[in-house]
């Protein structure tokens, strides 16, 4: 643990992430051990609590998180998600306080169909991500997948749409962020609703 963080801080963050994971798993968005969540604990230096690798996301306990640095590397002990580096990159790039990564059918299907991005317009639910419901087009970026988190982070940075707190990774899933775990959850549910609507339209 670092001087500014205690085991209790990490346990409290773990309790929040365990609850959020159970919610997403109940929707079928984090099947098996897929998906991962994080919450920022400090900014300077950047430290995040990230869900541990290889755990059933519907059965996490407050202990199933790992403290990582701004490069996604474990600070103390434990094995974080392989995508912890991307969580840290998103937090640094966007100023987000929490990041959600889920594997939903709609995000994977539409990522294949719309490699240039998924456009939404005149949908009331856009208010859920802070956008007007009418007369504004908002694009959810889609980026090609990579097992190299540096490459994936560069693609996310290049494609990011500041009005949309999310990006689809083609063939993989959805990354969403917010100021807090609760806001990140709300954004995730709204963006997934938009994706499901688009999927049914086609």
């Amino acid at each position: 643990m670092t001087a500014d963080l205690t085991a209790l801080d990490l346990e409290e963050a773990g309790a929040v992430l365990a609850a959020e994971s159970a919610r997403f798993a109940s929707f079928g968005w984090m099947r098996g051990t897929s998906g991962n969540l994080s919450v920022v604990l400090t900014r300077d230096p950047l430290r995040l609590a990230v869900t541990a690798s290889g755990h059933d996301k519907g059965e996490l306990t407050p202990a199933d998180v790992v403290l990582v640095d701004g490069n996604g590397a474990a600070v103390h002990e434990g094995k974080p998600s392989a995508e912890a580096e991307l969580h840290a990159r998103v937090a640094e790039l966007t100023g987000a306080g929490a990041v959600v990564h889920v594997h939903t059918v709609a995000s994977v299907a539409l990522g294949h169909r719309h490699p240039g991005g998924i456009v939404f317009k005149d949908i009331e639910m856009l208010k859920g991500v802070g956008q007007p419901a009418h007369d504004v087009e908002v694009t959810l970026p889609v980026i090609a997948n990579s097992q190299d988190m540096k490459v994936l982070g560069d693609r996310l940075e290049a494609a990011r749409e500041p009005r949309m707190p999310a990006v689809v990774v083609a063939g993989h899933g959805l990354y969403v962020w917010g100021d807090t775990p609760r806001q990140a959850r709300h954004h995730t549910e709204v963006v997934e609703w938009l994706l499901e609507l688009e999927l049914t339209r086609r």
Side-chain angles (χ1 to χ4, degrees):
M1 215 58 58
T2 68
D4 295 328
L5 294 170
T6 68
L8 181 59
D9 293 327
L10 192 59
E11 183 177 358
E12 289 176 348
V16 170
L17 295 183
E20 295 298 318
S21 291
R23 181 184 180 94
F24 292 131
S26 74
F27 298 155
W29 299 354
M30 301 180 89
R31 294 183 185 274
T33 63
S34 70
N36 35 75
L37 307 178
S38 67
V39 60
V40 173
L41 299 180
T42 66
R43 286 281 173 194
D44 187 18
L46 183 61
R47 296 288 185 265
L48 302 88
V50 180
T51 49
S53 177
H55 291 256
D56 186 317
K57 298 308 186 297
E59 300 177 350
L60 294 185
T61 72
D64 294 327
V65 292
V66 179
L67 182 68
V68 304
D69 62 18
N71 295 314
V75 171
H76 185 52
E77 59 184 21
K79 182 181 179 182
S81 161
E83 291 150 342
E85 181 180 347
L86 188 57
H87 282 251
R89 181 77 175 269
V90 170
E92 183 176 18
L93 177 66
T94 68
V99 181
V100 171
H101 173 46
V102 290
H103 294 225
T104 69
V105 172
S107 64
V108 174
L110 289 171
H112 282 305
R113 294 183 190 179
H114 303 280
I118 305 157
V119 178
F120 300 108
K121 181 180 179 181
D122 295 335
I123 302 173
E124 195 75 17
M125 201 67 144
L126 284 170
K127 292 179 180 178
V129 290
Q131 298 305 312
H134 301 287
D135 301 324
V136 174
E137 284 190 356
V138 182
T139 299
L140 173 60
V142 176
I143 61 175
N145 195 15
S146 174
Q147 299 306 303
D148 186 323
M149 292 302 107
K150 173 67 165 61
V151 170
L152 201 56
D154 288 346
R155 290 174 181 170
L156 187 150
E157 182 171 0
R160 186 170 74 96
E161 160 59 87
R163 297 177 301 168
M164 177 62 75
V167 65
V168 169
V169 179
H172 188 177
L174 182 66
Y175 278 88
V176 192
W177 50 89
D179 292 339
T180 64
R182 186 169 185 264
Q183 186 184 60
R185 178 217 306 164
H186 290 170
H187 286 169
T188 302
E189 293 179 357
V190 168
V191 172
E192 176 61 16
W193 187 94
L194 291 167
L195 288 168
E196 290 178 13
L197 176 65
E198 183 66 18
L199 193 61
T200 61
R201 285 178 166 180
R202 303 296 174 178

